[in-house]
Structure formats: structure tokens, C-alpha cells
């Protein structure tokens, strides 16, 4: 900082321009708060003090005069403990949940204390304490500049004019709103999907920070979000099944566009000839993991990601359909036959099983362990075998067999004599 720029030291030029910038911002943006941390100014260089860093002005509003006074009494002396200073900066901010924090790092050299500025910068963002720092380098050579690639956005200032320009750009970006547009892409790559719940998680802690319902404007474009640009996000689109994008990092002060592939189609479940109320349900499963993704009521419409699903209809007996296709941008109907009604009557209670034959084997569909003498059961159309044994006469040869044929939307009565 003691090198000269046009007859003055770099520190003198930087101090003057920084004071003017802060004073101007204080006048125009009353809610803005500034804090000033300085490093390498308390101990002479020969002491190699790698903890020479101090918060000279705590954060506060309208404190341009305090910043100016602090800068006027400071002289550059020692080492450049950048990583250590970034680490301490974590405790400088107020911790307000509605504040957007930013660090502007001004230096004429790279880290000189064997610290890791990259790790310190990443820790700040992971803890959602500050944005990736803005770095203004005062005439650094290319090798020194490259050392800041992982720390933040670097701006080179080789002379006073370029420093003033860089300072203006950095402050402008730090003060601008960070906006986000989430494009939910259909099967043609268009941002045409919408009305999906979105959750933004802190990628570091896992905490859910924003829960929103995606919306499109009258123009058809997705609505704009105003988000805190600090840290990284994991984003869930709560489709069926959900879609996640991890470690999304926003560019502060700019309009960010995030795209998620969520081509969807609608599944409509219907009972043939019965468009009204029914309590029938369907288990929709992932065909690979067999995980239940959704339990859908009949006579309803639900939206799924385009693809194939296994359907398990909770009829008696159950209907299973593997690899049922959901085509994107379409309504995909699945219709099951209407059930028939079986009415079973007997003069004595007992144990009754209802069976259906599948591939030459009998499969039990339903069982009454304490058949009361009169029961009703809704079954899919087909031929069934009823096997009954009275409770009072428990000899095995008292078992009775009766065939019953069930027709759609009709009742069949069976008496067990």
C-alpha cells in the first residue's frame, strides 16, 4: 500500500476514493450499514504478525464520518493476513436474518501468512454470513490475481482511475437486488410448466429457507423471486416424483435463471360407467424401486413426471398394471371395470374364504374369520369360489364350496345351505 500512484501512495488514493463512496452511499441509502476491518496496520512488517487484524468501525448506519476518521489515522505497516481477517469477519456482521451481507476486500498483495482465503470465504458462505467477497486488487500481477479465483469476484485496479471504476462496479453490484427466475421445462425444453411447489434449502445446513408456489405471469414468463444471494441452495420441485437441483450458487446483484427439467402428464383414474364418487384408490409406484410415490383417488386427476409407473388398484382382487406410460403434455386415462356386489347369506356363522383362479392356482381374495351369516362384498367381474365351514360343526368334511359369478354393476346373491 506504500507504493505510489501518480505521486501518492496506493493507500492514500484508496482511502480518499473509499471515503467518498461511503459518504455518497450514506446520503442516498439510509438503511445501508458499513463496518470497517483493517489488517496489516498495527505491527511493523518485521514482526510478521499474522493476527494483525482489527474491526476499526463496527457496523452502523450513517457512520461515514467514523469510517473517514478511522482511515485517516491508519497507516499500512505489516503483513497481509487475508484468511484470518475473513475468518474474523464472521463475527463482525450483526446476524440479522433480513440483512444481505457483503464483503469488499481491498488489497495490494496476496495472503502472506500461509492462511487459506479460499476456505475462509467458503466458510462464510456456508454459514450464510456473507456473499462471496468482492476483491479489488491494487496492481497485482497475474499470479497474485489467480490466487483470488476461489475467494470471490476479482477486479483489477492498476491505477487510480481503474480503482475508482472497480469500486463503483463492486458497490453497485453489492447494493443491487438479486433476482431469480425458475424455468420449469416441459418435454420440448420450454419454460411452460408451472403451479409446482418449490423449496429452497440451505445447501450447507439443510434448513428450508423459502417455500413457494411457482407462478407464471400473464406474458407466460415465470414470476421473479427476490432471494438472499448468500451461500448455496438445494432446490426441490415438488413434482411426483420430486426433482432436485443441488448446490445452486446465485450471482449477487443480477437476474439468475435456474432451469429444472419437469415434463409432466396427467393421470386420470376412472371406473367404467361410474363418474361419480368412489372410495377406490390406486398406489402409484416407481417401477425400479417399487416405492409408493402417490396414493391417488379414483375420479381425480394428478400430475406426474413423464415416464412409466406401476399401478396397483385397491380393488378386490387387486389390479396391477406395470409400466403404465404417462405421456407429457397429455391426459392419460386408466379405466377399470365397475365392480359387482356379492351378497352371501347362511343360517349359521362360520369361516368363509373367497378365491379366484389365476394360472391354474387358487388365490384368496378375501376372508371372514367370523362370518356373521349375512355379508356384502364388492368384487371385480369374474368367477369366484366360496369356501365355507360352519363354526358349530368343525369337522373338515363339513366344508362347502360354491361358485359365484360377478357381473359389472350387478348384484349376485349366494346362499350357503
Amino acid at each position: 500500500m506504500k507504493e505510489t500512484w501518480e505521486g501518492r501512495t496506493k493507500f492514500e488514493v484508496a482511502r480518499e476514493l473509499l471515503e467518498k463512496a461511503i459518504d455518497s452511499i450514506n446520503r442516498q441509502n439510509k438503511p445501508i450499514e458499513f463496518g470497517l476491518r483493517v489488517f496489516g496496520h498495527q505491527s511493523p512488517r518485521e514482526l510478521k504478525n499474522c493476527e494483525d487484524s482489527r474491526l476499526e468501525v463496527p457496523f452502523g448506519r450513517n457512520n461515514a464520518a467514523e469510517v473517514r476518521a478511522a482511515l485517516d489515522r491508519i497507516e499500512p505497516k505489516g503483513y497481509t493476513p487475508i484468511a484470518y481477517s475473513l475468518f474474523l469477519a464472521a463475527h463482525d456482521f450483526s446476524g440479522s436474518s433480513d440483512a444481505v451481507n457483503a464483503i469488499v476486500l481491498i488489497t495490494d498483495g496476496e495472503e502472506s501468512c500461509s492462511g487459506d482465503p479460499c476456505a475462509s470465504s467458503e466458510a462464510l458462505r456456508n454459514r450464510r454470513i456473507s456473499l462471496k467477497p468482492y476483491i479489488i486488487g491494487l496492481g497485482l500481477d497475474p499470479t497474485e490475481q489467480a490466487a483470488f479465483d476461489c475467494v470471490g469476484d476479482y477486479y483489477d485496479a492498476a491505477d487510480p482511475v481503474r480503482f475508482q471504476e472497480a469500486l463503483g462496479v463492486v458497490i453497485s453490484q453489492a447494493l443491487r437486488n438479486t433476482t431469480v427466475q425458475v424455468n420449469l421445462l416441459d418435454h420440448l425444453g420450454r419454460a411452460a410448466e408451472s403451479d409446482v411447489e418449490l423449496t429452497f434449502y440451505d445447501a450447507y445446513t439443510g434448513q428450508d429457507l423459502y417455500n413457494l408456489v411457482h407462478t407464471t405471469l400473464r406474458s407466460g414468463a415465470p414470476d421473479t423471486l427476490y432471494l438472499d444471494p448468500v451461500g448455496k441452495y438445494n432446490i426441490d420441485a415438488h413434482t411426483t416424483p420430486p426433482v432436485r437441483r443441488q448446490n445452486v450458487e446465485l450471482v449477487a446483484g443480477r437476474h439468475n435463471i435456474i432451469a429444472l427439467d419437469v415434463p409432466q402428464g396427467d393421470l386420470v383414474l376412472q371406473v367404467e360407467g361410474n363418474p361419480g364418487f368412489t372410495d377406490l384408490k390406486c398406489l402409484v409406484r416407481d417401477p425400479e424401486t417399487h416405492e409408493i410415490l402417490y396414493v391417488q383417488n379414483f375420479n381425480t386427476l394428478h400430475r406426474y413426471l413423464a415416464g412409466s409407473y406401476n399401478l396397483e388398484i385397491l380393488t378386490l382382487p387387486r389390479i396391477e398394471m406395470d409400466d403404465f406410460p404417462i405421456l407429457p403434455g397429455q391426459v392419460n386415462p386408466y379405466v377399470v371395470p365397475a365392480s359387482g356386489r356379492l351378497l352371501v347369506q347362511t343360517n349359521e356363522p362360520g369361516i368363509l374364504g373367497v378365491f379366484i383362479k389365476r394360472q391354474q392356482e387358487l388365490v384368496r381374495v378375501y376372508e371372514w374369520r367370523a362370518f356373521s351369516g349375512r355379508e356384502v362384498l364388492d368384487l371385480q367381474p369374474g368367477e369366484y369360489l366360496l369356501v365355507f365351514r360352519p363354526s358349530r360343526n368343525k369337522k373338515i368334511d363339513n366344508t362347502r364350496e360354491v361358485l359365484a359369478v360377478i357381473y359389472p354393476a350387478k348384484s349376485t346373491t349366494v346362499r350357503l345351505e
Side-chain angles (χ1 to χ4, degrees):
M1 282 292 197
K2 293 182 178 181
E3 295 179 9
T4 59
W5 266 355
E6 300 179 0
R8 292 192 297 167
T9 66
K10 291 180 178 179
F11 182 77
E12 291 172 339
V13 174
R15 176 174 57 193
E16 178 183 328
L17 294 177
L18 185 59
E19 289 174 355
K20 289 181 179 179
I22 293 175
D23 188 61
S24 176
I25 293 170
N26 269 170
R27 290 197 307 268
Q28 299 175 24
N29 298 274
K30 298 300 182 182
I32 300 296
E33 298 185 12
F34 284 100
L36 177 67
R37 173 170 287 280
V38 184
F39 52 84
H41 65 300
Q42 299 176 101
S43 301
R45 187 171 184 79
E46 53 269 21
L47 291 182
K48 301 180 180 180
N49 184 359
C50 286
E51 295 184 357
D52 185 358
S53 180
R54 180 179 177 184
L55 181 65
E56 295 291 346
V57 180
F59 275 97
R61 297 185 182 183
N62 302 314
N63 59 355
E66 296 177 54
V67 173
R68 187 185 308 109
L71 289 172
D72 287 344
R73 68 172 180 266
I74 288 170
E75 292 295 335
K77 295 180 181 179
Y79 264 30
T80 310
I82 293 176
Y84 180 67
S85 297
L86 289 175
F87 173 79
L88 293 179
H91 306 284
D92 295 342
F93 294 103
S94 65
S96 173
S97 59
D98 59 352
V100 176
N101 302 323
I103 293 176
V104 178
L105 173 64
I106 302 173
T107 181
D108 69 340
E110 58 182 334
E111 169 74 36
S112 62
C113 288
S114 301
D116 187 350
C118 301
S120 294
S121 177
E122 184 71 12
L124 287 170
R125 296 195 301 280
N126 285 340
R127 294 172 59 191
R128 305 196 70 80
I129 293 170
S130 73
L131 303 174
K132 181 181 286 188
Y134 301 98
I135 304 105
I136 301 178
L138 307 184
L140 274 62
D141 63 42
T143 302
E144 292 174 322
Q145 294 178 22
F148 290 100
D149 288 345
C150 59
V151 180
D153 296 326
Y154 181 86
Y155 298 84
D156 185 45
D159 53 57
V161 173
R162 292 177 65 181
F163 175 78
Q164 187 172 15
E165 292 174 352
L167 185 61
V169 170
V170 164
I171 290 177
S172 175
Q173 289 193 14
L175 296 180
R176 284 168 56 191
N177 285 329
T178 301
T179 56
V180 177
Q181 174 181 319
V182 179
N183 288 348
L184 300 180
L185 306 182
D186 66 8
H187 61 293
L188 298 177
R190 303 170 302 184
E193 300 283 0
S194 191
D195 298 331
V196 173
E197 300 93 337
L198 302 174
T199 298
F200 289 73
Y201 298 91
D202 184 314
Y204 182 67
T205 66
Q207 178 185 359
D208 58 303
L209 301 174
Y210 303 99
N211 291 287
L212 309 158
V213 178
H214 188 274
T215 306
T216 53
L217 305 174
R218 290 184 179 180
S219 64
D223 199 4
T224 296
L225 311 175
Y226 294 85
L227 301 184
D228 181 352
V230 177
K232 298 178 182 179
Y233 291 96
N234 292 337
I235 304 173
D236 278 357
H238 295 288
T239 50
T240 306
V243 172
R244 166 166 283 204
R245 183 168 171 182
Q246 294 184 305
N247 296 316
V248 176
E249 189 169 8
L250 305 181
V251 179
R254 296 183 185 176
H255 186 63
N256 297 259
I257 297 179
I258 301 169
L260 298 174
D261 288 317
V262 291
Q264 298 178 92
D266 295 321
L267 172 62
V268 174
L269 300 171
Q270 297 172 323
V271 176
E272 187 174 13
N274 180 19
F277 172 78
T278 175
D279 59 358
L280 190 59
K281 300 181 185 298
C282 173
L283 307 182
V284 181
R285 298 180 184 271
D286 184 303
E288 295 184 1
T289 66
H290 304 291
E291 174 191 1
I292 296 176
L293 301 174
Y294 194 72
V295 179
Q296 183 173 344
N297 293 322
F298 266 67
N299 295 326
T300 66
L301 177 150
H302 188 75
R303 187 159 291 176
Y304 297 84
L305 292 181
S308 296
Y309 299 89
N310 292 350
L311 307 182
E312 183 177 351
I313 316 299
L314 301 184
T315 51
L316 285 177
R318 295 192 177 190
I319 299 173
E320 296 183 354
M321 169 63 72
D322 290 343
D323 297 320
F324 181 80
I326 300 295
L327 302 178
Q330 298 185 25
V331 174
N332 303 268
Y334 186 77
V335 181
V336 301
S339 296
R341 180 153 290 181
L342 173 65
L343 173 61
V344 185
Q345 295 177 331
T346 183
N347 293 328
E348 52 186 333
I351 296 175
L352 173 62
V354 180
F355 294 83
I356 192 171
K357 183 172 287 188
R358 287 180 176 168
Q359 298 178 351
Q360 304 304 312
E361 293 185 359
L362 286 177
V363 177
R364 189 173 67 188
V365 175
Y366 197 80
E367 181 188 40
W368 284 282
R369 299 297 296 174
F371 181 71
S372 65
R374 187 179 189 279
E375 299 287 354
V376 175
L377 188 65
D378 288 337
L379 294 170
Q380 282 288 289
E383 186 175 275
Y384 295 86
L385 176 67
L386 280 61
V387 180
F388 174 72
R389 194 208 69 197
S391 297
R392 285 182 295 178
N393 192 341
K394 296 185 177 181
K395 290 185 177 182
I396 194 170
D397 57 3
N398 285 327
T399 300
R400 306 166 193 174
E401 297 182 11
V402 178
L403 287 176
V405 179
I406 303 299
Y407 299 95
K410 292 185 178 181
S411 293
T412 298
T413 301
V414 173
R415 291 193 59 82
L416 302 172
E417 300 297 345

